[in-house]
Structure formats: C-alpha cells, structure tokens
Amino acid sequence: MTDNGGPNGNPVKRDAMGLGMAVVKRMAGSSLLDKVGLRKPVERALVGSTRAGFQAAGAASRAFTKVSKLRAPARPATPNASATFDLTPTEDEQLIASTVREFASEQLRPAAAQANEDCAPPDGLLAKTAELGLHTVAVPEELGGLATERSAIAGVLIAEELARGDMGLALACLAPSAVSTALSLWGDADQQATYLPAFLGERPPAAALALQEPRALFDPRQPRTRARRTPDGYRLDGTKSLVPLAGSAELFVVSAELEGRGPGLFLIEANTRGVRTEPEPAMGLRAAATGQLHLDGVRLAGSSLLGMAAGTEVLTECVRLSRLAWCALAVGTAQSVLDYVVPYVNEREAFGEPVSHRQGVAFRVADIGTELEGMRLATYRAASRAQQGLSYARETALARTLCAEKGMTIGSDGVQLLGGHGFTKEHPVERWYRDLRAIGLMEGAVLV
C-alpha cells in the first residue's frame, strides 16, 4: 500500500503489518498500559512505535460535522479466500486476543460486580477502551483507522476476550465500535467524513446500534419502527429496547421499515427533536446501562439512510454480523464459567475429598469444556467465511443456535456446580448465568 508520509513528501511503500500490529501500534503510545501493567508485553511486540490521532470534541458540546471531502466511501479490503480449512488465529490475531484479555482482567473483571449493581459502566471506561484503539479496529486505514483489510475474526476475538472480564461491560465497550463498524461497512462518503473522525480521537462518542424492539416474536429483519418519506428527508416513529448506553449515547444507528422500499438503517443524533430515552434495566447485561429509545416524529435529512445504494441487504448483513458478535460474547463468558468452576470443584471438599472426584461433577465439567469448544469453532468458522466474502448465513444460524442453547446450559451448570454458593452474589457465576440467557434474545448492539 502507499503511504504519503515519506521524506520530501514522496510516497513510500510499506508492507501491511496486519491488523494485530496496527492495534499494538495504537496501544504502544497509550498511558493506560502503565496503569494496567501491559507496557512490557506490548513493547516486546513492537518497539519504537508512534501513535497519531487527534483530540475529539467533548461529548457535551460535540457536533458531528464533515471534516473533509471524500470522493468515495472507504471500505476494508476483503482477504483472499483460503483453500485450507484452518480456524487457528494468526499471530497478529493472537496478539490482539492476548492484549485484550489482559485489559479485561485488569479493568473489567474487578469493576463488574459494582457495575452490575449500579446498572452502568464505571466512569472513564469508554476512554480507556478508546486508548486501546478498539473503536477503530474496523475503520479503514485510509480514514485513520486500523483496518488494512476486513477482519471479522479479529472482531470476534476482541468480543470474546472482553466478555471473559464481564459480558455487560464488554457490551458497553463494544457499543460505540458497532456504530463505527457500520459506518465503515455501509456508510457513504459524506456519512464517513461526518461521523467517523469523532471515533478516532481519545474521547469517542458513546453510540449504539439499536435493532431490538419490545414485542413478542420479534424479527429484526421486519422492524415495526416506521420511516416515512418527507419533502426534505424522512420521519421516524417507533421504540427500540435494550439499547446499550441509551442514556448517554450521542449517536444511534436505528433499523426502520421505509415505506415503499423495505427495512434499512438510519443515523440519528441524540439531540434530534423527538428522540427520548429512558432506563430499562434487564435481568442480565446490567452494566451496559440498557434503555429504551423512543422516536416520536423524528425528522431526518435525506442523507441519514445508511447504505442507500445497497437496498435491504444492509440490514440482513447487519443482523448476521451482530449475531456473530453475540456468539463471541457467549464463548467468552462460558470460558469464564469453566475457568472458575474447575479450581472450585478441585478445592472444595466433601466427605474428605474434592468434589471433583465425584463422577457427576467431573462429567458435568467435561461437558462444559466440550460444548464450549463446539461454540467456539462454530463461531470462528462463520466469522472466517464472513471475512473472506463467502456465504455465511447458514454458519451464523448454526453458531447462534448452538451458543444460545449451550451457553445457557453452561451458565446453569456453573451455578449448579457451586451448589448453594452458586445462588449467592459472593461468586460471579450467577451474574454470568443471567448474562448468558441474553444470547438467544438480543439483536443488534454489537457488530464484528
């Protein structure tokens, strides 16, 4: 690829280091590394790197304005399809996973219990996530992001590792990146120039992808939220539910049925007249500060429709990529359950020996490990096909079915293996059980 930053303004050629090294370069200049003890691992991966960026406007006074004129929208390149069936993450992807895992262990896990009680993430969490560059992983490099090519696998690994800290806080961290990913995949040149720069700074906007609606038998591909054409754009009416960061979000991507055209995605700024939010704490995912988004005669410009030239396929692909992300969250949380119960059953004694010596306990732990690997492989396979531009509808459906069913079973078994302790808040397994029940229900909110 070409870089115009060479001496005397001459273009220079440089090899694409891959998404993993790009993330590490962003991390290397972050003061957060010293706070959480990640400086040495990152410096071992990359020495002498520099970090570029700009300071975004403050959330309270932020105005999304076009900062440059793009001739055409930028998209991450699609990797060449591989003839070899291999779901092993590359070295760069493993580096991403390792670094995000340490971040989740240091920042999310200790804060999870209090965030669950507060029904909100701790102050400054989104800023810390932004310092790691996670909001720009899917943004094309030519727009200032980290993506040299499409990497759904990297998105899955990030979601999985964050969920090992806590699924609710992982959802809060990933909600803004769902919007930046949507803009990268489907936004036109003007939309990218107007909104993406805000996600590249150290204080990115809180944002959310809102597909879920409060009704029985909800089908995300057939939203009840309605969009009607007006002389100067569109008018939207409807309600979205379980929207992460609803009360603090500055930008929403909302699904709606457009009369005469079919379902689509719309960009809505939170300060638009007719937009109202209210808290909606749920059984799980409480740390994500979920709420309802009410749209009452919201008037939007004609440029607010995302992916205007792509038709209804945009919402279909959005739903699939979102479901893949939820599968990754399930895998990460289920891994936490397994990691927690194994030492517990080995150390907990009954009748003079560890309870793990009982076949009923040992077999149940083995079942968790077996089902978890099936969930992980199904999710990676679907993400790999999506990344290569291959059909992945069937694979995503299989992964979601498996993760929704087995994830809930793993959560229940985790509680059961702790006996009476599993029912108390002294141990985090009861929270993970509540979170895992969301996998078969939630739509939108996250994207890979």
Side-chain angles (χ1 to χ4, degrees):
M1 63 179 294
T2 300
D3 186 350
N4 292 325
N8 304 318
N10 295 325
V12 296
K13 293 285 186 177
R14 63 179 174 87
D15 294 332
M17 296 290 290
L19 179 59
M21 295 308 296
V23 172
V24 174
K25 290 175 75 173
R26 176 65 64 91
M27 294 174 184
S30 171
S31 60
L32 177 65
L33 297 177
D34 297 313
K35 299 176 184 177
V36 299
L38 302 185
R39 172 65 61 186
K40 289 184 179 179
V42 171
E43 286 183 344
R44 285 196 298 267
L46 181 68
V47 178
S49 63
T50 59
R51 181 173 183 261
F54 65 88
Q55 183 71 30
S61 59
R62 190 190 309 273
F64 295 100
T65 57
K66 191 186 302 182
V67 299
S68 62
K69 178 66 175 178
L70 299 179
R71 295 182 178 179
R75 306 279 186 243
T78 301
N80 294 327
S82 173
T84 303
F85 181 77
D86 184 6
L87 298 180
T88 304
T90 65
E91 291 184 6
D92 290 346
E93 290 166 345
Q94 291 178 35
L95 179 60
I96 293 174
S98 176
T99 307
V100 175
R101 183 183 310 137
E102 291 191 53
F103 172 79
S105 175
E106 295 287 343
Q107 296 292 319
L108 303 191
R109 182 66 68 87
Q114 189 60 49
N116 177 75
E117 295 296 322
D118 296 341
C119 291
D123 293 339
L125 179 63
L126 293 185
K128 293 176 183 178
T129 305
E131 287 195 54
L132 294 182
L134 299 187
H135 299 334
T136 62
V137 166
V139 178
E141 196 173 41
E142 54 264 44
L143 297 181
L146 302 176
T148 56
E149 60 183 24
R150 182 81 173 95
S151 186
I153 286 288
V156 161
L157 290 172
I158 289 170
E160 176 184 341
E161 297 301 340
L162 287 176
R164 290 181 69 169
D166 180 70
M167 189 189 291
L169 288 177
L171 178 57
C173 291
L174 293 172
S177 67
V179 174
S180 63
T181 300
L183 285 163
S184 300
L185 293 177
W186 307 301
D188 60 29
D190 286 343
Q191 291 166 342
Q192 290 185 345
T194 300
Y195 295 104
L196 278 181
F199 290 90
L200 306 179
E202 295 178 354
R203 296 176 60 192
L209 170 64
L211 304 186
Q212 193 87 22
E213 294 183 349
R215 58 187 178 87
L217 303 177
F218 169 66
D219 184 347
R221 292 158 296 191
Q222 298 179 351
R224 291 281 181 87
T225 300
R226 290 290 183 260
R228 298 173 176 81
R229 296 183 188 274
T230 64
D232 55 352
Y234 307 98
R235 171 179 169 149
L236 269 67
D237 293 274
T239 299
K240 297 295 181 179
S241 63
L242 296 175
V243 180
L245 305 178
S248 59
E250 302 167 67
L251 181 66
F252 298 97
V253 173
V254 175
S255 62
E257 180 76 19
L258 177 56
E259 289 184 342
R261 184 182 183 275
L265 297 173
F266 291 84
L267 288 160
I268 302 178
E269 296 181 24
N271 58 5
T272 304
R273 185 175 182 179
V275 174
R276 179 173 58 87
T277 64
E278 63 176 312
E280 187 184 25
M283 172 183 173
L285 306 174
R286 296 172 66 84
T290 53
Q292 286 196 343
L293 172 64
H294 299 280
L295 307 173
D296 185 11
V298 175
R299 294 188 177 275
L300 304 175
S303 59
S304 62
L305 180 60
L306 199 63
M308 295 183 65
T312 59
E313 292 83 3
V314 166
L315 181 58
T316 299
E317 186 175 8
C318 179
V319 170
R320 289 175 184 159
L321 294 176
S322 173
R323 288 177 172 178
L324 268 181
W326 280 106
C327 289
L329 292 175
V331 171
T333 305
Q335 183 68 59
S336 290
V337 174
L338 180 62
D339 293 343
Y340 198 88
V341 300
V342 168
Y344 181 89
V345 299
N346 283 332
E347 296 168 5
R348 181 76 170 177
E349 291 191 0
F351 304 105
E353 62 180 356
V355 296
S356 60
H357 290 185
R358 305 289 174 175
Q359 284 188 343
V361 172
F363 288 171
R364 185 165 292 191
V365 173
D367 285 343
I368 292 176
T370 302
E371 291 161 355
L372 173 59
E373 284 306 305
M375 293 164 56
R376 179 176 282 116
L377 289 173
T379 301
Y380 286 9
R381 181 168 185 247
S384 176
R385 291 183 64 86
Q387 179 168 303
Q388 298 176 69
L390 303 174
S391 171
Y392 63 102
R394 175 179 178 274
E395 289 74 17
T396 299
L398 293 175
R400 185 173 190 259
T401 299
L402 186 64
C403 289
E405 178 182 342
K406 298 303 182 182
M408 191 164 57
T409 300
I410 289 172
S412 178
D413 286 348
V415 171
Q416 188 69 26
L417 285 167
L418 266 65
H421 285 166
F423 193 68
T424 69
K425 292 185 180 296
E426 177 186 354
H427 298 271
V429 181
E430 61 85 24
R431 185 176 70 250
W432 296 336
Y433 170 58
R434 290 186 281 111
D435 290 343
L436 282 166
R437 294 188 69 88
I439 303 303
L441 165 71
M442 289 292 290
E443 302 282 2
V446 283
L447 209 61
V448 298

